[in-house]
């Protein structure tokens, strides 16, 4: 009798321990309600089989297309706690790259909502680590490994660059808002991943585009988001921006564009993004 009781007690303790280190995917018998304020995290959540539990996303959550049907809470840099709380989530997932303001994070925490932050390192290894960490956290390791295998397979097929070129990313929202990407940005990391280099190396983050700095950098290829290129009226419109036409990229009309989230997400589609950029650059 005592032995049976001991086994039952030990089993009960193991169950309690297991669930104490893993998040419950339901609350009071109802599916956990999740708000994601990062496009890459949203994409991974879908890959883990949790799309039906996502009740809100930020505007960078554009893939898969089914996320368009989910309520938006704004851009991760300008999200308000009120917009998130209106969706009555049980959990808010954020990336350390999202730059959700400390004030908003504190407001959410004070209401009893669980805010979970995942570290996102912008590299092949960092992407794989992020997917596995989210898979472990949400008890979906099998689904996570499927995504990891896809990333590894796609990147293994990535051809080596025939010759290293200087690439310059321009963030555009009309000709009135033109910024260039410096070191340690997602674009800088992507350029390195495909065997090319950033045309500017004297600053980090983003700075306003000037004709002087543009000519000094003299990029071989200009890279923009598809939406950004559209905002300046396409390639011909971009060539009218002072200095562009005098660069090697401008003279050769070597201007490429890609979907913004695909290009900078460093998520499950990293290999596909790298392959597409590499092909367009060549």
């Amino acid at each position: 009798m005592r032995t049976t009781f001991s086994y039952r007690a030990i089993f009960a303790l193991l169950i309690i321990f297991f669930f104490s280190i893993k998040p419950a995917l339901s609350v009071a018998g109802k599916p956990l309600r999740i708000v994601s304020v990062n496009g890459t995290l949203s994409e991974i959540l879908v890959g883990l089989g949790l799309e039906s539990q996502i009740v809100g996303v930020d505007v960078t959550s554009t893939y898969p297309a089914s996320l368009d049907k989910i309520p938006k809470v704004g851009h991760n840099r300008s999200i308000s706690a009120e917009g998130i709380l209106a969706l009555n989530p049980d959990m808010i997932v954020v990336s350390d790259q999202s730059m959700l303001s400390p004030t908003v994070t504190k407001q959410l925490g004070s209401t009893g909502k669980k805010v979970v932050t995942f570290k996102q390192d912008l590299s092949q290894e960092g992407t794989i680590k992020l997917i596995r960490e989210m898979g472990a956290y949400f008890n979906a390791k099998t689904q996570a490994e499927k995504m990891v295998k896809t990333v590894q397979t796609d990147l293994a097929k990535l051809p080596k660059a025939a010759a290293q070129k200087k690439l310059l990313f321009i963030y555009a929202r009309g000709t009135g808002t033109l910024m260039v990407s410096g070191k340690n940005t997602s674009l800088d990391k992507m350029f390195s991943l495909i065997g090319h280099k950033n045309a500017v190396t004297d600053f980090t983050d983003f700075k306003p585009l000037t004709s002087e700095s543009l000519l000094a950098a003299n990029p071989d290829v200009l890279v923009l988001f598809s939406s950004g290129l559209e905002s300046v009226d396409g390639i011909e419109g971009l060539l009218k921006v002072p200095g562009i036409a005098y660069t090697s990229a401008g003279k050769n009309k070597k201007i490429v564009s890609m979907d913004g989230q695909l290009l900078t997400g460093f998520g499950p589609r990293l290999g596909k993004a790298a392959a597409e950029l590499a092909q367009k650059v060549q």
Side-chain angles (χ1 to χ4, degrees), residues 136-149:
Y137 190 88
F138 289 102
N139 303 327
K141 291 184 178 181
T142 300
Q143 294 90 329
E145 285 307 312
K146 288 181 180 178
M147 285 187 278
V148 167
K149 185 176 181 180

Side-chain angles (χ1 to χ4, degrees), residues 25-273:
L25 296 183
S26 63
V27 176
K30 296 181 179 180
L32 189 73
R33 294 172 62 84
I34 303 171
V35 167
S36 171
V37 293
N38 176 275
T40 300
L41 300 189
S42 299
E43 187 174 340
I44 294 173
L45 286 171
V46 173
L48 295 177
L50 298 173
E51 183 172 6
S52 64
Q53 295 180 231
I54 303 174
V55 298
V57 294
D58 76 317
V59 297
T60 70
S61 300
T62 57
Y63 185 89
S66 53
L67 291 178
D68 290 339
K69 301 176 183 178
I70 297 176
K72 299 294 186 292
V73 295
H75 191 281
N76 53 35
R77 299 191 186 196
S78 58
I79 290 174
S80 68
E82 292 76 14
I84 293 176
L85 294 173
L87 298 173
N88 190 30
D90 301 302
M91 177 186 293
I92 301 96
V93 295
V94 303
S95 161
D96 64 337
Q97 300 284 330
S98 297
M99 289 178 277
L100 193 65
S101 78
T103 300
V104 172
T105 302
K106 184 177 180 180
Q107 288 175 328
L108 293 171
S110 67
T111 65
K113 303 298 183 182
K114 189 176 183 64
V115 180
V116 181
T117 302
F118 290 97
K119 179 176 174 56
Q120 187 179 13
D121 178 59
L122 302 175
S123 66
Q124 175 182 345
E125 297 76 14
T127 295
I128 291 172
K129 183 179 179 181
L130 173 63
I131 293 172
R132 283 178 170 157
E133 286 183 349
M134 290 186 68
Y137 190 88
F138 289 102
N139 303 327
K141 291 184 178 181
T142 300
Q143 294 90 329
E145 285 307 312
K146 288 181 180 178
M147 285 187 278
V148 167
K149 185 176 181 180
T150 297
V151 172
Q152 293 174 328
T153 300
D154 290 342
L155 286 173
K157 297 177 181 176
L158 191 65
K160 291 186 177 180
Q164 190 178 64
K165 297 182 180 181
K166 293 191 297 180
L167 278 53
L168 180 67
F169 174 78
I170 298 178
Y171 175 85
R173 281 295 175 267
T175 54
T177 304
L178 295 171
M179 308 281 286
V180 293
S181 174
K183 296 187 297 182
N184 299 324
T185 62
S186 57
L187 287 312
D188 182 54
K189 302 290 186 179
M190 181 60 81
F191 296 164
S192 296
L193 181 62
I194 65 171
H196 297 292
K197 62 181 180 180
N198 198 336
V200 292
T201 58
D202 57 341
F203 63 86
T204 58
D205 204 13
F206 286 79
K207 281 190 175 183
L209 174 72
T210 65
S211 56
E212 293 80 11
S213 62
L214 185 62
L215 292 172
N218 191 28
D220 300 308
V221 183
L222 294 175
V223 182
L224 291 87
F225 292 157
S226 299
S227 57
L229 188 58
E230 290 174 5
S231 76
V232 295
D233 297 325
I235 292 177
E236 295 306 318
L238 183 65
L239 290 172
K240 295 177 183 178
V241 173
I244 294 286
Y246 297 100
T247 64
S248 294
K251 292 175 183 176
N252 297 314
K253 293 189 176 181
K254 194 60 180 178
I255 300 165
V256 302
S257 63
M258 284 180 58
D259 174 77
Q261 179 57 29
L262 174 62
L263 180 59
T264 63
F266 276 81
R269 295 178 294 155
L270 176 60
K272 292 179 175 59

